[in-house]
Amino acid sequence: MTSDLVWLEHSIRLATENVANGGGPFGALIVKDGALLAEGQNRVTANLDPTAHAEVVAIRAACQAIGDFSLAGAVLYTSCEPCPLCLSAALWARVDRVVFAADRHDAARGGFDDLEFYDLFSRDRSTWELPIDSIRPANAQAPFDAWLAHPDRTAY
């Protein structure tokens, strides 16, 4: 628990510093075996990239640092509860654990959509304002057929 607090305080410092540098109030770390692999700060507005959340930035940097797309054995520490995008990224990266400080309600108080998105994903898609349509051409499965037939594919 003590090391968790140290890493969380580090992520909160990153988030607070990022605000002073024109970024959003989010910071994240990837830690494995007690060592810092990578840091991330929210760069959405600075990079004009809606996916440049602190957690995603940290995950990308950690994967580059270790030369692998899997962060199995690692912990994601973040200054705020991961939004659905970041939670999905953590799941895809196979981190062992996520530890956060502030929560989705704190983010909502700050004007961020995390809580709204969590609520949205709990509803039936037919109630969403954003239409999500499935159209299946005859070759819809072709990319997966090619994938399955490729002898040197990397499973993930």
PDB file of all heavy atoms in Angstrom, residues 20-60:
ATOM      1  N   ALA A  20      -0.348  23.166 -15.628  1.00  0.00           N
ATOM      2  CA  ALA A  20       0.473  24.373 -15.737  1.00  0.00           C
ATOM      3  C   ALA A  20       1.110  24.502 -17.115  1.00  0.00           C
ATOM      4  O   ALA A  20       1.424  25.609 -17.559  1.00  0.00           O
ATOM      5  CB  ALA A  20       1.559  24.366 -14.659  1.00  0.00           C
ATOM      6  N   ASN A  21       1.273  23.371 -17.806  1.00  0.00           N
ATOM      7  CA  ASN A  21       1.893  23.378 -19.140  1.00  0.00           C
ATOM      8  C   ASN A  21       0.864  23.331 -20.267  1.00  0.00           C
ATOM      9  O   ASN A  21       1.206  22.997 -21.405  1.00  0.00           O
ATOM     10  CB  ASN A  21       2.854  22.198 -19.265  1.00  0.00           C
ATOM     11  CG  ASN A  21       4.038  22.337 -18.339  1.00  0.00           C
ATOM     12  OD1 ASN A  21       4.529  23.438 -18.112  1.00  0.00           O
ATOM     13  ND2 ASN A  21       4.488  21.226 -17.783  1.00  0.00           N
ATOM     14  N   GLY A  22      -0.408  23.613 -19.953  1.00  0.00           N
ATOM     15  CA  GLY A  22      -1.432  23.692 -20.977  1.00  0.00           C
ATOM     16  C   GLY A  22      -2.131  22.385 -21.302  1.00  0.00           C
ATOM     17  O   GLY A  22      -2.905  22.324 -22.250  1.00  0.00           O
ATOM     18  N   GLY A  23      -1.871  21.339 -20.547  1.00  0.00           N
ATOM     19  CA  GLY A  23      -2.513  20.045 -20.790  1.00  0.00           C
ATOM     20  C   GLY A  23      -3.656  19.800 -19.832  1.00  0.00           C
ATOM     21  O   GLY A  23      -3.945  20.611 -18.955  1.00  0.00           O
ATOM     22  N   GLY A  24      -4.287  18.648 -19.989  1.00  0.00           N
ATOM     23  CA  GLY A  24      -5.393  18.266 -19.107  1.00  0.00           C
ATOM     24  C   GLY A  24      -4.890  17.743 -17.777  1.00  0.00           C
ATOM     25  O   GLY A  24      -3.723  17.366 -17.638  1.00  0.00           O
ATOM     26  N   PRO A  25      -5.763  17.687 -16.767  1.00  0.00           N
ATOM     27  CA  PRO A  25      -5.376  17.325 -15.399  1.00  0.00           C
ATOM     28  C   PRO A  25      -5.272  15.820 -15.153  1.00  0.00           C
ATOM     29  O   PRO A  25      -5.904  15.282 -14.233  1.00  0.00           O
ATOM     30  CB  PRO A  25      -6.487  17.950 -14.566  1.00  0.00           C
ATOM     31  CG  PRO A  25      -7.699  17.852 -15.445  1.00  0.00           C
ATOM     32  CD  PRO A  25      -7.175  18.085 -16.846  1.00  0.00           C
ATOM     33  N   PHE A  26      -4.484  15.150 -15.978  1.00  0.00           N
ATOM     34  CA  PHE A  26      -4.358  13.702 -15.854  1.00  0.00           C
ATOM     35  C   PHE A  26      -2.901  13.285 -16.016  1.00  0.00           C
ATOM     36  O   PHE A  26      -2.209  13.783 -16.913  1.00  0.00           O
ATOM     37  CB  PHE A  26      -5.213  12.980 -16.909  1.00  0.00           C
ATOM     38  CG  PHE A  26      -6.661  13.355 -16.857  1.00  0.00           C
ATOM     39  CD1 PHE A  26      -7.166  14.341 -17.687  1.00  0.00           C
ATOM     40  CD2 PHE A  26      -7.509  12.734 -15.955  1.00  0.00           C
ATOM     41  CE1 PHE A  26      -8.509  14.701 -17.636  1.00  0.00           C
ATOM     42  CE2 PHE A  26      -8.857  13.095 -15.890  1.00  0.00           C
ATOM     43  CZ  PHE A  26      -9.356  14.077 -16.733  1.00  0.00           C
ATOM     44  N   GLY A  27      -2.466  12.357 -15.156  1.00  0.00           N
ATOM     45  CA  GLY A  27      -1.119  11.794 -15.243  1.00  0.00           C
ATOM     46  C   GLY A  27      -1.184  10.308 -14.966  1.00  0.00           C
ATOM     47  O   GLY A  27      -2.056   9.841 -14.227  1.00  0.00           O
ATOM     48  N   ALA A  28      -0.265   9.562 -15.592  1.00  0.00           N
ATOM     49  CA  ALA A  28      -0.287   8.107 -15.425  1.00  0.00           C
ATOM     50  C   ALA A  28       1.126   7.544 -15.484  1.00  0.00           C
ATOM     51  O   ALA A  28       2.023   8.141 -16.082  1.00  0.00           O
ATOM     52  CB  ALA A  28      -1.150   7.466 -16.510  1.00  0.00           C
ATOM     53  N   LEU A  29       1.293   6.385 -14.869  1.00  0.00           N
ATOM     54  CA  LEU A  29       2.578   5.686 -14.828  1.00  0.00           C
ATOM     55  C   LEU A  29       2.363   4.213 -15.107  1.00  0.00           C
ATOM     56  O   LEU A  29       1.324   3.658 -14.736  1.00  0.00           O
ATOM     57  CB  LEU A  29       3.205   5.778 -13.429  1.00  0.00           C
ATOM     58  CG  LEU A  29       3.278   7.108 -12.726  1.00  0.00           C
ATOM     59  CD1 LEU A  29       3.665   6.883 -11.266  1.00  0.00           C
ATOM     60  CD2 LEU A  29       4.284   7.997 -13.416  1.00  0.00           C
ATOM     61  N   ILE A  30       3.355   3.592 -15.701  1.00  0.00           N
ATOM     62  CA  ILE A  30       3.392   2.138 -15.815  1.00  0.00           C
ATOM     63  C   ILE A  30       4.594   1.681 -14.995  1.00  0.00           C
ATOM     64  O   ILE A  30       5.722   2.135 -15.217  1.00  0.00           O
ATOM     65  CB  ILE A  30       3.542   1.657 -17.277  1.00  0.00           C
ATOM     66  CG1 ILE A  30       2.405   2.170 -18.153  1.00  0.00           C
ATOM     67  CG2 ILE A  30       3.654   0.133 -17.320  1.00  0.00           C
ATOM     68  CD1 ILE A  30       1.043   1.576 -17.858  1.00  0.00           C
ATOM     69  N   VAL A  31       4.337   0.799 -14.029  1.00  0.00           N
ATOM     70  CA  VAL A  31       5.358   0.311 -13.110  1.00  0.00           C
ATOM     71  C   VAL A  31       5.387  -1.215 -13.186  1.00  0.00           C
ATOM     72  O   VAL A  31       4.330  -1.857 -13.187  1.00  0.00           O
ATOM     73  CB  VAL A  31       5.058   0.770 -11.667  1.00  0.00           C
ATOM     74  CG1 VAL A  31       6.046   0.182 -10.685  1.00  0.00           C
ATOM     75  CG2 VAL A  31       5.042   2.300 -11.590  1.00  0.00           C
ATOM     76  N   LYS A  32       6.586  -1.770 -13.257  1.00  0.00           N
ATOM     77  CA  LYS A  32       6.717  -3.227 -13.254  1.00  0.00           C
ATOM     78  C   LYS A  32       7.875  -3.610 -12.343  1.00  0.00           C
ATOM     79  O   LYS A  32       8.958  -3.035 -12.444  1.00  0.00           O
ATOM     80  CB  LYS A  32       6.967  -3.749 -14.671  1.00  0.00           C
ATOM     81  CG  LYS A  32       6.977  -5.267 -14.750  1.00  0.00           C
ATOM     82  CD  LYS A  32       7.029  -5.750 -16.182  1.00  0.00           C
ATOM     83  CE  LYS A  32       6.982  -7.267 -16.221  1.00  0.00           C
ATOM     84  NZ  LYS A  32       7.006  -7.767 -17.605  1.00  0.00           N
ATOM     85  N   ASP A  33       7.643  -4.557 -11.478  1.00  0.00           N
ATOM     86  CA  ASP A  33       8.647  -5.028 -10.528  1.00  0.00           C
ATOM     87  C   ASP A  33       9.257  -3.869  -9.742  1.00  0.00           C
ATOM     88  O   ASP A  33      10.458  -3.826  -9.495  1.00  0.00           O
ATOM     89  CB  ASP A  33       9.744  -5.808 -11.256  1.00  0.00           C
ATOM     90  CG  ASP A  33       9.208  -7.046 -11.965  1.00  0.00           C
ATOM     91  OD1 ASP A  33       8.268  -7.668 -11.431  1.00  0.00           O
ATOM     92  OD2 ASP A  33       9.720  -7.373 -13.056  1.00  0.00           O
ATOM     93  N   GLY A  34       8.407  -2.917  -9.370  1.00  0.00           N
ATOM     94  CA  GLY A  34       8.846  -1.775  -8.569  1.00  0.00           C
ATOM     95  C   GLY A  34       9.616  -0.718  -9.324  1.00  0.00           C
ATOM     96  O   GLY A  34      10.080   0.254  -8.726  1.00  0.00           O
ATOM     97  N   ALA A  35       9.755  -0.859 -10.646  1.00  0.00           N
ATOM     98  CA  ALA A  35      10.504   0.112 -11.449  1.00  0.00           C
ATOM     99  C   ALA A  35       9.557   0.847 -12.398  1.00  0.00           C
ATOM    100  O   ALA A  35       8.650   0.250 -12.989  1.00  0.00           O
ATOM    101  CB  ALA A  35      11.590  -0.594 -12.256  1.00  0.00           C
ATOM    102  N   LEU A  36       9.793   2.127 -12.564  1.00  0.00           N
ATOM    103  CA  LEU A  36       9.012   2.949 -13.473  1.00  0.00           C
ATOM    104  C   LEU A  36       9.403   2.638 -14.916  1.00  0.00           C
ATOM    105  O   LEU A  36      10.562   2.788 -15.292  1.00  0.00           O
ATOM    106  CB  LEU A  36       9.253   4.435 -13.172  1.00  0.00           C
ATOM    107  CG  LEU A  36       8.535   5.431 -14.059  1.00  0.00           C
ATOM    108  CD1 LEU A  36       7.028   5.344 -13.889  1.00  0.00           C
ATOM    109  CD2 LEU A  36       9.029   6.853 -13.738  1.00  0.00           C
ATOM    110  N   LEU A  37       8.431   2.182 -15.724  1.00  0.00           N
ATOM    111  CA  LEU A  37       8.688   1.930 -17.144  1.00  0.00           C
ATOM    112  C   LEU A  37       8.414   3.167 -17.981  1.00  0.00           C
ATOM    113  O   LEU A  37       9.138   3.442 -18.942  1.00  0.00           O
ATOM    114  CB  LEU A  37       7.817   0.780 -17.669  1.00  0.00           C
ATOM    115  CG  LEU A  37       8.069  -0.613 -17.134  1.00  0.00           C
ATOM    116  CD1 LEU A  37       7.114  -1.604 -17.796  1.00  0.00           C
ATOM    117  CD2 LEU A  37       9.508  -1.028 -17.370  1.00  0.00           C
ATOM    118  N   ALA A  38       7.340   3.894 -17.653  1.00  0.00           N
ATOM    119  CA  ALA A  38       6.965   5.052 -18.464  1.00  0.00           C
ATOM    120  C   ALA A  38       5.984   5.939 -17.719  1.00  0.00           C
ATOM    121  O   ALA A  38       5.293   5.492 -16.806  1.00  0.00           O
ATOM    122  CB  ALA A  38       6.343   4.583 -19.777  1.00  0.00           C
ATOM    123  N   GLU A  39       5.953   7.192 -18.150  1.00  0.00           N
ATOM    124  CA  GLU A  39       5.017   8.180 -17.637  1.00  0.00           C
ATOM    125  C   GLU A  39       4.159   8.666 -18.792  1.00  0.00           C
ATOM    126  O   GLU A  39       4.574   8.584 -19.947  1.00  0.00           O
ATOM    127  CB  GLU A  39       5.754   9.401 -17.069  1.00  0.00           C
ATOM    128  CG  GLU A  39       6.667   9.123 -15.932  1.00  0.00           C
ATOM    129  CD  GLU A  39       7.407  10.383 -15.466  1.00  0.00           C
ATOM    130  OE1 GLU A  39       7.481  11.380 -16.238  1.00  0.00           O
ATOM    131  OE2 GLU A  39       7.908  10.368 -14.340  1.00  0.00           O
ATOM    132  N   GLY A  40       3.002   9.202 -18.453  1.00  0.00           N
ATOM    133  CA  GLY A  40       2.158   9.824 -19.461  1.00  0.00           C
ATOM    134  C   GLY A  40       1.386  10.982 -18.865  1.00  0.00           C
ATOM    135  O   GLY A  40       0.997  10.941 -17.706  1.00  0.00           O
ATOM    136  N   GLN A  41       1.215  12.011 -19.668  1.00  0.00           N
ATOM    137  CA  GLN A  41       0.385  13.139 -19.296  1.00  0.00           C
ATOM    138  C   GLN A  41      -0.632  13.342 -20.407  1.00  0.00           C
ATOM    139  O   GLN A  41      -0.362  13.018 -21.572  1.00  0.00           O
ATOM    140  CB  GLN A  41       1.231  14.406 -19.136  1.00  0.00           C
ATOM    141  CG  GLN A  41       2.178  14.341 -17.955  1.00  0.00           C
ATOM    142  CD  GLN A  41       3.127  15.529 -17.919  1.00  0.00           C
ATOM    143  OE1 GLN A  41       3.849  15.765 -18.880  1.00  0.00           O
ATOM    144  NE2 GLN A  41       3.130  16.258 -16.815  1.00  0.00           N
ATOM    145  N   ASN A  42      -1.781  13.880 -20.065  1.00  0.00           N
ATOM    146  CA  ASN A  42      -2.827  14.125 -21.050  1.00  0.00           C
ATOM    147  C   ASN A  42      -2.325  15.140 -22.073  1.00  0.00           C
ATOM    148  O   ASN A  42      -1.917  16.237 -21.722  1.00  0.00           O
ATOM    149  CB  ASN A  42      -4.079  14.636 -20.347  1.00  0.00           C
ATOM    150  CG  ASN A  42      -5.198  14.902 -21.304  1.00  0.00           C
ATOM    151  OD1 ASN A  42      -5.198  15.902 -21.999  1.00  0.00           O
ATOM    152  ND2 ASN A  42      -6.172  14.006 -21.332  1.00  0.00           N
ATOM    153  N   ARG A  43      -2.353  14.764 -23.349  1.00  0.00           N
ATOM    154  CA  ARG A  43      -1.860  15.618 -24.435  1.00  0.00           C
ATOM    155  C   ARG A  43      -2.951  15.850 -25.481  1.00  0.00           C
ATOM    156  O   ARG A  43      -2.652  16.171 -26.632  1.00  0.00           O
ATOM    157  CB  ARG A  43      -0.624  14.992 -25.094  1.00  0.00           C
ATOM    158  CG  ARG A  43       0.504  14.623 -24.133  1.00  0.00           C
ATOM    159  CD  ARG A  43       0.998  15.760 -23.262  1.00  0.00           C
ATOM    160  NE  ARG A  43       1.481  16.860 -24.053  1.00  0.00           N
ATOM    161  CZ  ARG A  43       1.559  18.118 -23.624  1.00  0.00           C
ATOM    162  NH1 ARG A  43       1.190  18.429 -22.409  1.00  0.00           N
ATOM    163  NH2 ARG A  43       2.004  19.068 -24.420  1.00  0.00           N
ATOM    164  N   VAL A  44      -4.207  15.688 -25.102  1.00  0.00           N
ATOM    165  CA  VAL A  44      -5.320  15.792 -26.049  1.00  0.00           C
ATOM    166  C   VAL A  44      -5.303  17.138 -26.769  1.00  0.00           C
ATOM    167  O   VAL A  44      -5.288  17.193 -27.999  1.00  0.00           O
ATOM    168  CB  VAL A  44      -6.677  15.556 -25.344  1.00  0.00           C
ATOM    169  CG1 VAL A  44      -7.844  15.906 -26.252  1.00  0.00           C
ATOM    170  CG2 VAL A  44      -6.778  14.111 -24.875  1.00  0.00           C
ATOM    171  N   THR A  45      -5.315  18.226 -26.020  1.00  0.00           N
ATOM    172  CA  THR A  45      -5.362  19.543 -26.661  1.00  0.00           C
ATOM    173  C   THR A  45      -4.001  19.953 -27.222  1.00  0.00           C
ATOM    174  O   THR A  45      -3.934  20.554 -28.287  1.00  0.00           O
ATOM    175  CB  THR A  45      -5.877  20.618 -25.686  1.00  0.00           C
ATOM    176  OG1 THR A  45      -5.052  20.640 -24.519  1.00  0.00           O
ATOM    177  CG2 THR A  45      -7.319  20.330 -25.281  1.00  0.00           C
ATOM    178  N   ALA A  46      -2.938  19.582 -26.547  1.00  0.00           N
ATOM    179  CA  ALA A  46      -1.599  19.960 -27.017  1.00  0.00           C
ATOM    180  C   ALA A  46      -1.256  19.288 -28.341  1.00  0.00           C
ATOM    181  O   ALA A  46      -0.622  19.890 -29.210  1.00  0.00           O
ATOM    182  CB  ALA A  46      -0.552  19.605 -25.962  1.00  0.00           C
ATOM    183  N   ASN A  47      -1.681  18.027 -28.505  1.00  0.00           N
ATOM    184  CA  ASN A  47      -1.358  17.265 -29.715  1.00  0.00           C
ATOM    185  C   ASN A  47      -2.525  17.177 -30.693  1.00  0.00           C
ATOM    186  O   ASN A  47      -2.404  16.530 -31.734  1.00  0.00           O
ATOM    187  CB  ASN A  47      -0.927  15.840 -29.347  1.00  0.00           C
ATOM    188  CG  ASN A  47       0.364  15.791 -28.582  1.00  0.00           C
ATOM    189  OD1 ASN A  47       0.988  16.807 -28.300  1.00  0.00           O
ATOM    190  ND2 ASN A  47       0.773  14.598 -28.213  1.00  0.00           N
ATOM    191  N   LEU A  48      -3.652  17.790 -30.328  1.00  0.00           N
ATOM    192  CA  LEU A  48      -4.866  17.702 -31.145  1.00  0.00           C
ATOM    193  C   LEU A  48      -5.205  16.246 -31.441  1.00  0.00           C
ATOM    194  O   LEU A  48      -5.524  15.856 -32.560  1.00  0.00           O
ATOM    195  CB  LEU A  48      -4.707  18.502 -32.447  1.00  0.00           C
ATOM    196  CG  LEU A  48      -4.334  19.976 -32.279  1.00  0.00           C
ATOM    197  CD1 LEU A  48      -4.150  20.639 -33.632  1.00  0.00           C
ATOM    198  CD2 LEU A  48      -5.357  20.714 -31.438  1.00  0.00           C
ATOM    199  N   ASP A  49      -5.138  15.430 -30.381  1.00  0.00           N
ATOM    200  CA  ASP A  49      -5.343  13.989 -30.496  1.00  0.00           C
ATOM    201  C   ASP A  49      -6.295  13.542 -29.389  1.00  0.00           C
ATOM    202  O   ASP A  49      -5.900  13.461 -28.223  1.00  0.00           O
ATOM    203  CB  ASP A  49      -4.000  13.265 -30.372  1.00  0.00           C
ATOM    204  CG  ASP A  49      -4.114  11.750 -30.435  1.00  0.00           C
ATOM    205  OD1 ASP A  49      -5.242  11.213 -30.481  1.00  0.00           O
ATOM    206  OD2 ASP A  49      -3.061  11.096 -30.411  1.00  0.00           O
ATOM    207  N   PRO A  50      -7.545  13.244 -29.730  1.00  0.00           N
ATOM    208  CA  PRO A  50      -8.509  12.860 -28.693  1.00  0.00           C
ATOM    209  C   PRO A  50      -8.181  11.541 -28.000  1.00  0.00           C
ATOM    210  O   PRO A  50      -8.784  11.217 -26.982  1.00  0.00           O
ATOM    211  CB  PRO A  50      -9.839  12.771 -29.453  1.00  0.00           C
ATOM    212  CG  PRO A  50      -9.462  12.593 -30.877  1.00  0.00           C
ATOM    213  CD  PRO A  50      -8.135  13.257 -31.065  1.00  0.00           C
ATOM    214  N   THR A  51      -7.213  10.777 -28.514  1.00  0.00           N
ATOM    215  CA  THR A  51      -6.816   9.530 -27.855  1.00  0.00           C
ATOM    216  C   THR A  51      -5.576   9.703 -26.988  1.00  0.00           C
ATOM    217  O   THR A  51      -5.128   8.737 -26.370  1.00  0.00           O
ATOM    218  CB  THR A  51      -6.552   8.408 -28.883  1.00  0.00           C
ATOM    219  OG1 THR A  51      -5.387   8.729 -29.645  1.00  0.00           O
ATOM    220  CG2 THR A  51      -7.749   8.198 -29.789  1.00  0.00           C
ATOM    221  N   ALA A  52      -5.019  10.888 -26.913  1.00  0.00           N
ATOM    222  CA  ALA A  52      -3.779  11.109 -26.168  1.00  0.00           C
ATOM    223  C   ALA A  52      -4.044  11.335 -24.679  1.00  0.00           C
ATOM    224  O   ALA A  52      -3.567  12.290 -24.078  1.00  0.00           O
ATOM    225  CB  ALA A  52      -2.991  12.266 -26.777  1.00  0.00           C
ATOM    226  N   HIS A  53      -4.810  10.431 -24.099  1.00  0.00           N
ATOM    227  CA  HIS A  53      -5.053  10.465 -22.657  1.00  0.00           C
ATOM    228  C   HIS A  53      -3.780  10.012 -21.950  1.00  0.00           C
ATOM    229  O   HIS A  53      -2.978   9.259 -22.509  1.00  0.00           O
ATOM    230  CB  HIS A  53      -6.206   9.530 -22.302  1.00  0.00           C
ATOM    231  CG  HIS A  53      -7.533  10.002 -22.809  1.00  0.00           C
ATOM    232  ND1 HIS A  53      -8.718   9.608 -22.229  1.00  0.00           N
ATOM    233  CD2 HIS A  53      -7.878  10.810 -23.845  1.00  0.00           C
ATOM    234  CE1 HIS A  53      -9.736  10.161 -22.878  1.00  0.00           C
ATOM    235  NE2 HIS A  53      -9.245  10.890 -23.864  1.00  0.00           N
ATOM    236  N   ALA A  54      -3.601  10.427 -20.719  1.00  0.00           N
ATOM    237  CA  ALA A  54      -2.382  10.122 -19.970  1.00  0.00           C
ATOM    238  C   ALA A  54      -2.103   8.621 -19.923  1.00  0.00           C
ATOM    239  O   ALA A  54      -0.963   8.179 -20.123  1.00  0.00           O
ATOM    240  CB  ALA A  54      -2.474  10.685 -18.557  1.00  0.00           C
ATOM    241  N   GLU A  55      -3.142   7.832 -19.681  1.00  0.00           N
ATOM    242  CA  GLU A  55      -2.961   6.388 -19.586  1.00  0.00           C
ATOM    243  C   GLU A  55      -2.511   5.795 -20.919  1.00  0.00           C
ATOM    244  O   GLU A  55      -1.628   4.940 -20.963  1.00  0.00           O
ATOM    245  CB  GLU A  55      -4.267   5.713 -19.141  1.00  0.00           C
ATOM    246  CG  GLU A  55      -4.717   6.119 -17.752  1.00  0.00           C
ATOM    247  CD  GLU A  55      -5.624   7.351 -17.729  1.00  0.00           C
ATOM    248  OE1 GLU A  55      -5.630   8.140 -18.707  1.00  0.00           O
ATOM    249  OE2 GLU A  55      -6.334   7.532 -16.726  1.00  0.00           O
ATOM    250  N   VAL A  56      -3.115   6.249 -22.003  1.00  0.00           N
ATOM    251  CA  VAL A  56      -2.751   5.753 -23.335  1.00  0.00           C
ATOM    252  C   VAL A  56      -1.321   6.165 -23.672  1.00  0.00           C
ATOM    253  O   VAL A  56      -0.542   5.361 -24.192  1.00  0.00           O
ATOM    254  CB  VAL A  56      -3.756   6.250 -24.400  1.00  0.00           C
ATOM    255  CG1 VAL A  56      -3.304   5.876 -25.798  1.00  0.00           C
ATOM    256  CG2 VAL A  56      -5.152   5.688 -24.120  1.00  0.00           C
ATOM    257  N   VAL A  57      -0.957   7.403 -23.361  1.00  0.00           N
ATOM    258  CA  VAL A  57       0.408   7.881 -23.600  1.00  0.00           C
ATOM    259  C   VAL A  57       1.413   7.031 -22.811  1.00  0.00           C
ATOM    260  O   VAL A  57       2.442   6.609 -23.342  1.00  0.00           O
ATOM    261  CB  VAL A  57       0.538   9.378 -23.238  1.00  0.00           C
ATOM    262  CG1 VAL A  57       1.990   9.843 -23.267  1.00  0.00           C
ATOM    263  CG2 VAL A  57      -0.313  10.228 -24.190  1.00  0.00           C
ATOM    264  N   ALA A  58       1.101   6.744 -21.553  1.00  0.00           N
ATOM    265  CA  ALA A  58       1.988   5.921 -20.719  1.00  0.00           C
ATOM    266  C   ALA A  58       2.086   4.499 -21.246  1.00  0.00           C
ATOM    267  O   ALA A  58       3.173   3.908 -21.286  1.00  0.00           O
ATOM    268  CB  ALA A  58       1.508   5.929 -19.267  1.00  0.00           C
ATOM    269  N   ILE A  59       0.963   3.929 -21.649  1.00  0.00           N
ATOM    270  CA  ILE A  59       0.960   2.560 -22.191  1.00  0.00           C
ATOM    271  C   ILE A  59       1.795   2.492 -23.461  1.00  0.00           C
ATOM    272  O   ILE A  59       2.619   1.585 -23.635  1.00  0.00           O
ATOM    273  CB  ILE A  59      -0.492   2.076 -22.424  1.00  0.00           C
ATOM    274  CG1 ILE A  59      -1.162   1.787 -21.082  1.00  0.00           C
ATOM    275  CG2 ILE A  59      -0.528   0.856 -23.337  1.00  0.00           C
ATOM    276  CD1 ILE A  59      -2.671   1.579 -21.164  1.00  0.00           C
ATOM    277  N   ARG A  60       1.605   3.459 -24.362  1.00  0.00           N
ATOM    278  CA  ARG A  60       2.394   3.484 -25.602  1.00  0.00           C
ATOM    279  C   ARG A  60       3.882   3.568 -25.300  1.00  0.00           C
ATOM    280  O   ARG A  60       4.696   2.846 -25.892  1.00  0.00           O
ATOM    281  CB  ARG A  60       1.971   4.662 -26.474  1.00  0.00           C
ATOM    282  CG  ARG A  60       0.608   4.504 -27.101  1.00  0.00           C
ATOM    283  CD  ARG A  60       0.189   5.773 -27.822  1.00  0.00           C
ATOM    284  NE  ARG A  60      -1.130   5.632 -28.424  1.00  0.00           N
ATOM    285  CZ  ARG A  60      -1.877   6.653 -28.808  1.00  0.00           C
ATOM    286  NH1 ARG A  60      -1.439   7.900 -28.672  1.00  0.00           N
ATOM    287  NH2 ARG A  60      -3.068   6.443 -29.353  1.00  0.00           N
TER     288      ARG A  60
END
